[in-house]
Amino acid sequence: MNERAERLQQALAVLGVDFFEDPDRPPAVNALEMANALVGAAEANVIGAEIDLMDDEVATQAEAVADQVLKEVLPEQISPLLVQQVRAERLEHSLTRAVGVETDPDDPVLAAARDAAVLATVLVSYRISAERLEEELPEGFLELAVTALRSCAQRLQGLMG
């Protein structure tokens, strides 16, 4: 077990989460799974605290604390836009797990939210490409964005009747 994995496992143990490495997986995969388990445990604590507090303004201010810690912990070469991309992708993946990838899902509201998350992910990816490339920007990003926007709009129109 590498040092990062050991620290993650210790942090999970402090939170009461039993998570052990799978010896058949590469150490990097185990570390990623443990880091995500830690995020899940942290999110559960955040959600519980926000429910107890029921104050959107304070919750928004508290989110800035997480952003500050993230900024201090991340290596300098990691762009804040990359953080936004990862966050958007996590939301997109979470909504996709909740609603599936079907074009006619059981829950059109969550499907519209998933489409909006896809739009956010694509637009942030486009912005990252704009920073890195001085040549033509990949139009594929914009085409995906238009498709996601259309899909979201169609779902919303369907909800309005």
Side-chain angles (χ1 to χ4, degrees):
M1 182 181 302
N2 65 33
E3 182 182 339
R4 175 184 284 167
E6 285 180 25
R7 286 193 325 257
L8 289 167
Q9 195 166 35
Q10 289 169 357
L12 286 166
V14 167
L15 293 172
V17 176
D18 292 328
F19 192 99
F20 299 98
E21 284 189 283
D22 181 344
D24 295 331
R25 291 188 175 191
V29 172
N30 283 316
L32 180 60
E33 287 179 348
M34 283 191 274
N36 275 287
L38 188 58
V39 168
E43 282 180 332
N45 282 291
V46 167
I47 290 166
E50 286 187 4
I51 288 170
D52 291 345
L53 192 59
M54 298 300 285
D55 186 331
D56 287 341
E57 185 176 329
V58 172
T60 299
Q61 292 169 356
E63 289 172 10
V65 173
D67 289 342
Q68 183 60 38
V69 169
L70 187 63
K71 184 178 177 181
E72 291 172 8
V73 173
L74 277 178
E76 285 183 27
Q77 69 269 23
I78 295 181
S79 157
L81 279 174
L82 182 59
V83 172
Q84 296 306 320
Q85 182 184 28
V86 169
R87 286 176 171 170
E89 286 175 347
R90 287 179 66 84
L91 176 60
E92 175 190 339
H93 296 160
S94 177
L95 288 166
T96 298
R97 286 189 300 274
V99 75
V101 293
E102 297 84 24
T103 55
D104 191 23
D106 292 336
D107 191 333
V109 174
L110 284 182
R114 179 201 56 209
D115 294 345
V118 168
L119 176 61
T121 300
V122 169
L123 289 174
V124 173
S125 297
Y126 179 81
R127 178 67 172 80
I128 290 170
S129 292
E131 267 190 6
R132 292 183 180 165
L133 302 174
E134 295 179 14
E135 305 163 11
E136 285 184 41
L137 293 173
E139 285 193 23
F141 283 120
L142 295 179
E143 290 168 5
L144 287 171
V146 168
T147 299
L149 185 59
R150 271 195 202 113
S151 179
C152 187
Q154 288 171 348
R155 290 183 201 287
L156 293 174
Q157 287 290 342
L159 289 171
M160 294 189 312

